[in-house]
Amino acid sequence: MTSVDIGAAPPRQQPWVASVLHNDALKKIVVLALLCGAWEGSVRGFHVNALLFPSFSDVVAHLAKGLGIAPGGTGELWGYIWQTLSVILESFAISIVLAVVVTGLAVSNAWMRQFLSVMTGIFQPLPSIALLPMAILWFGFSRQSLIFVVVMSMIWPIASSLTVGFATISPTLMRLGRNFELGRMRMMGEILLPAALPMTISGLRIGWGFGWRTIVAAELVFGATGNSGGIGWYIDNSRLFMNIADGFAGILLVVIVGLFTESLFRLVQYLTTHKWGTESF
Amino acid sequence: MVAVLSRVQTAVRPDLVAIDGVSIAFPRTRGRGTVVAVQDVSVAIRRGEKFVILGPSGCGKSTLLTAIGGFLPLSSGEIRVDGKPVKKPSMNRLLVFQDFGLLPWRTVLGNVQWAVSKRWHDKPAAECKARAMHYVELVGLGPQAEQYPSTLSGGQKQRCAIARAFAVQPEILLMDEPFGALDAINRERMQVELNRLWAAESEKVTIVFVTHDVNEAVHLGNRIMVMSRGPGRIRSLVDNPSVGSPPHDVQALKLVEELRALLKD
């Protein structure tokens, strides 16, 4: 048997270079490090006014102080971010309950289905931050206004993905449920909800994203209700008091929290739809 | 015209399913009127036999099978199981689907165990699991018991569905072209498997098997009902003494030829 020449062997690489070239996560870390380096370098190198654009190290220092990690810090950022999170979590819960109720009605009633479809068609394309002035008119500068606006951003994607999830359940599984004489509740819990889970998680993720953007933006307009404020308010407030580095630190914290919640969703997906092979992105 | 070609009179088994002048029609999706899927079918299926409904696609055989299960309303006539008319689905008339119908969020063992627990509400979980495991191993899926259906091949998925079906111990197994989605080799293997499983049970379950594959019909069915389409009617009802014989058996091949000729009309 003649041997086939498949070309010369690739040149030997250093092991760590090879691992970076083949590993996506490591590549991301390298890119991130380069970006931070470029940030630091260009701000210091071009002598950019710290009141316009602080350096990376400056921002990190202020973030650490705000989180109470660095000495001399107040740890005040925890309070602000918790204020924001508490509003979005409450809105999330309200949106889910309302979406499940409306979808449950829409599944069995054609009129409800069309009502939901029309409402979604009108309100989903509307950035609900535009409703904030009206909300202030109706509810005043209160937590209710913020919750109203955030719920209006989250409920439509959640309800519509739940509807699609239920509508696209395999008819075979529905027939299986009937064959095993499942009552309505069991059908819902043992067949419908697990089957609709991929779309449900997708909808929750999108809804959360809309809600997060909305709450941070709304807080820029007014984020202090009573004597506590959210992270959006903190960012704008820092600008007012010329604590630019603090403002950037707030932005960085918003990014970090966003990444954290995203990884929570991915964890839920990993434990459920990814394991079952029914993932839908 | 119903031509009955009867060869050897098989041992008399009592009737289990009486299909009496059944017609099934669906409203047209567009326009008025109805589409008649099944017209005036009358036949009796005996207890413990393997009854094959053979026909080309669109002849209403799946529709008739689903109606036996109680999933569809009849336009006329009646279907009686054990003397009682069929009104709604029951675990005693269990469907086996062409696309397997496994719950993707449960493992192989979990799927069968779920079915067993639905069948016998007051059976403790450990017993359900033991019974499920017995059938999972019986179909040869022991090593795959903790795997999720998405990681299985088509043949393995169907074996899991069949394990589930036998574990539930229904009176009647309604199989709707269950091997249609499998490749030729797997199909033959599964036919042998099904015969083996059916024979192994002390109480022979009654199987109603729908297919368009003549070879499959001859290999599996004690009796074969040939349906013609437009609208679905009985063309012929044949006894099959060559059930279970290898594919090159002379008598079996002759029957295959006869049935093929019937299907061509």
Side-chain angles (χ1 to χ4, degrees), chain A residues 119-197:
Chain A
M119 292 291 272
T120 306
I122 296 173
F123 287 107
Q124 184 156 332
L126 174 66
S128 64
I129 191 73
L131 294 170
L132 190 60
M134 302 304 141
I136 295 174
L137 208 61
W138 299 327
F139 307 110
F141 283 91
S142 66
R143 192 183 160 92
Q144 279 87 316
S145 300
L146 292 175
I147 292 190
F148 172 76
V149 156
V150 176
V151 167
M152 282 299 275
S153 72
M154 287 177 140
I155 188 175
W156 311 112
I158 296 176
S160 80
S161 67
L162 266 178
T163 309
V164 173
F166 281 178
T168 54
I169 294 176
S170 146
T172 304
L173 286 183
M174 300 287 283
R175 199 154 264 185
L176 183 78
R178 288 181 70 200
N179 203 178
F180 278 88
E181 301 170 43
L182 296 181
R184 280 193 117 216
M185 291 302 287
R186 279 195 191 274
M187 191 72 163
M188 186 66 143
E190 300 193 42
I191 308 260
L192 296 183
L193 284 178
L197 194 64

Side-chain angles (χ1 to χ4, degrees), chain A residues 169 173 189-197 272 275-276 278, chain B residues 102-107 111 114 148-149:
Chain A
I169 294 176
L173 286 183
E190 300 193 42
I191 308 260
L192 296 183
L193 284 178
L197 194 64
T272 53
K275 187 163 63 154
W276 307 334
T278 58
Chain B
L102 297 176
L103 300 174
W105 49 90
R106 283 178 187 267
T107 58
N111 260 285
W114 176 84
Y148 287 94

Side-chain angles (χ1 to χ4, degrees), chain A residues 5 18 33 41 46 120-121 135 165 195 211 230 243 252 280:
Chain A
D5 187 353
F46 293 112
T120 306
N243 295 328
L252 206 56
S280 87

Side-chain angles (χ1 to χ4, degrees), chain B residues 146-168:
Chain B
E146 294 300 327
Q147 281 183 267
Y148 287 94
S150 65
T151 61
L152 300 176
S153 72
Q156 290 172 321
K157 281 189 231 184
Q158 198 53 286
R159 275 191 276 160
C160 179
I162 289 178
R164 179 176 67 185
F166 276 93
V168 163

Side-chain angles (χ1 to χ4, degrees), chain A residues 32-151:
Chain A
L32 213 54
L34 287 173
L35 281 174
C36 296
W39 176 355
E40 186 76 8
S42 48
V43 168
R44 292 218 188 275
F46 293 112
H47 301 291
V48 179
N49 188 347
L51 287 179
L52 277 180
F53 209 105
S55 68
F56 176 65
S57 48
D58 222 358
V59 172
V60 170
H62 279 256
L63 180 62
K65 283 219 192 90
L67 290 175
I69 307 173
T74 50
E76 56 184 356
L77 280 179
W78 291 111
Y80 292 119
I81 197 75
W82 171 243
Q83 177 71 2
T84 308
L85 282 173
S86 77
V87 173
I88 191 177
L89 284 170
E90 187 176 330
S91 313
F92 200 40
I94 295 172
S95 306
I96 292 174
V97 168
L98 286 175
V100 168
V101 168
V102 174
T103 308
L105 292 169
V107 162
S108 39
N109 186 326
W111 283 104
M112 248 342 249
R113 217 174 302 149
Q114 294 315 315
F115 172 74
L116 181 59
S117 172
V118 169
M119 292 291 272
T120 306
I122 296 173
F123 287 107
Q124 184 156 332
L126 174 66
S128 64
I129 191 73
L131 294 170
L132 190 60
M134 302 304 141
I136 295 174
L137 208 61
W138 299 327
F139 307 110
F141 283 91
S142 66
R143 192 183 160 92
Q144 279 87 316
S145 300
L146 292 175
I147 292 190
F148 172 76
V149 156
V150 176
V151 167

